[in-house]
Amino acid sequence: MIVAACGAGASVLASCASAEPPAAARFETWCTPTDSGLSELSGLAWRGDTGYAIGDRGSDDRLAVLDRACEVTGWVDVGVETVDVEDMAVDSAGIVWLADTGDNDSDRESVTLIGVDVATDRRTSITMRYLDGAHDVEAFALTPTGQPVLITKVSGGAAASIYSSDETIDTTTTSIDLVRSGTVSATAPDGSSRPITGAAVDADATVGALRTKKDLFVFEIADGDVPAAFSGAPARVVEGPDQPQGEAVAYTDAGELLLASEADGATELPPIVFAEPN
């Protein structure tokens, strides 16, 4: 259910007719993975007709390349030792950035961003240092200008923190410092605050999304300032589709919003679903 009104510039998942009650968000199947290697799918990115997917700890040593039907056309070794990859993004150059940011024990004062150039088989490893101690992070987004944005995973109703850097990243970057740049104030339709499991920004940084295993928050972004947008009130709050363990969210080049899930022990993998823009 959409529970927030939308304003000027509204796009995905919005119904702006104020005289009518909010409508339920409509999600449709984008494609359904069949390769068992995607049973722990935690991160998803899409560019053109090609998708990229990866599992989290224990299945994050290789990257799946998908066609439009979600068939795996190839597996690419990450090529860098990982701890717990949780999310991912693909930049305009086609570099796939893997956020090795999981930290269930909260003992990693620095985490790693791994760039995988599928075309050239080149790897980039960037150390990202928290200046205020360790944090567990499952949600990562990359702005079109190359600014990394991380959102902490917290429980018990606490507000998630947003970490970013004034430095942008590319394949020449070796390390950056992360600073706290806001908190996520969005709450679910029932007033609860569930852990944020995924983040995404569209291709021109005008719309961004955060998700939990149940809810989806859509934000309008002003002047490309993603941390400020995620710190503010969402334009829309949507109850997500029924998924076994929903963690991944991504935008396509055309602005469709994709949601993906782990199988949570099921033999049959859940579909990747989408909502169309406008």
Side-chain angles (χ1 to χ4, degrees):
M1 176 175 65
I2 301 175
V3 298
C6 61
S11 54
V12 68
L13 305 177
S15 174
C16 297
S18 58
E20 299 179 3
R26 181 179 177 183
F27 295 95
E28 299 179 9
T29 296
W30 177 262
C31 58
T32 302
T34 57
D35 193 306
S36 61
L38 295 174
S39 63
E40 299 293 322
L41 196 158
S42 178
L44 179 72
W46 211 279
R47 189 166 186 262
D49 292 327
T50 303
Y52 304 94
I54 198 166
D56 53 14
R57 178 180 293 185
S59 59
D60 57 357
D61 59 344
R62 58 180 186 164
L63 171 70
V65 182
L66 310 176
D67 64 15
R68 181 57 182 80
C70 279
E71 292 295 324
V72 175
T73 61
W75 288 98
V76 179
D77 288 338
V78 171
V80 176
E81 184 176 355
T82 61
V83 177
D84 188 3
V85 173
E86 291 286 1
D87 209 348
M88 64 191 301
V90 59
D91 68 17
S92 59
I95 309 299
V96 181
W97 294 97
L98 308 176
D100 184 3
T101 57
D103 188 13
N104 292 335
D105 297 326
S106 295
D107 58 5
R108 300 177 68 189
E109 294 189 1
S110 66
V111 291
T112 307
L113 193 59
I114 303 165
V116 180
D117 188 333
V118 176
T120 67
D121 206 33
R122 179 181 176 181
R123 303 292 182 272
T124 302
S125 185
I126 301 173
T127 299
M128 301 189 293
R129 295 180 296 260
Y130 298 110
L131 300 183
D132 60 355
H135 301 281
D136 189 18
V137 166
E138 288 194 2
F140 158 78
L142 187 68
T143 72
T145 60
Q147 180 191 34
V149 180
L150 289 72
I151 298 89
T152 62
K153 180 183 179 182
V154 294
S155 57
S161 294
I162 302 166
Y163 283 82
S164 62
S165 175
D166 290 335
E167 302 175 70
T168 58
I169 60 100
D170 59 27
T171 56
T172 67
T173 308
T174 58
S175 64
I176 60 171
D177 291 335
L178 297 170
V179 296
R180 188 172 180 271
S181 51
T183 58
V184 177
S185 60
T187 56
D190 61 7
S192 62
S193 295
R194 299 182 178 91
I196 304 294
T197 61
V201 174
D202 73 347
D204 57 3
T206 58
V207 181
L210 299 176
R211 73 162 300 173
T212 71
K213 292 179 180 178
K214 184 177 181 181
D215 310 298
L216 179 66
F217 306 102
V218 180
F219 300 82
E220 294 176 0
I221 302 169
D223 301 320
D225 193 339
V226 174
F230 286 167
S231 297
R236 291 159 293 283
V237 181
V238 179
E239 184 174 333
D242 185 20
Q243 294 182 313
Q245 189 172 325
E247 296 196 356
V249 58
Y251 282 99
T252 69
D253 294 340
E256 294 106 340
L257 187 61
L258 308 180
L259 300 175
S261 173
E262 296 187 18
D264 196 26
T267 302
E268 184 174 340
L269 304 188
I272 296 173
V273 301
F274 79 103
E276 292 186 3
N278 299 316

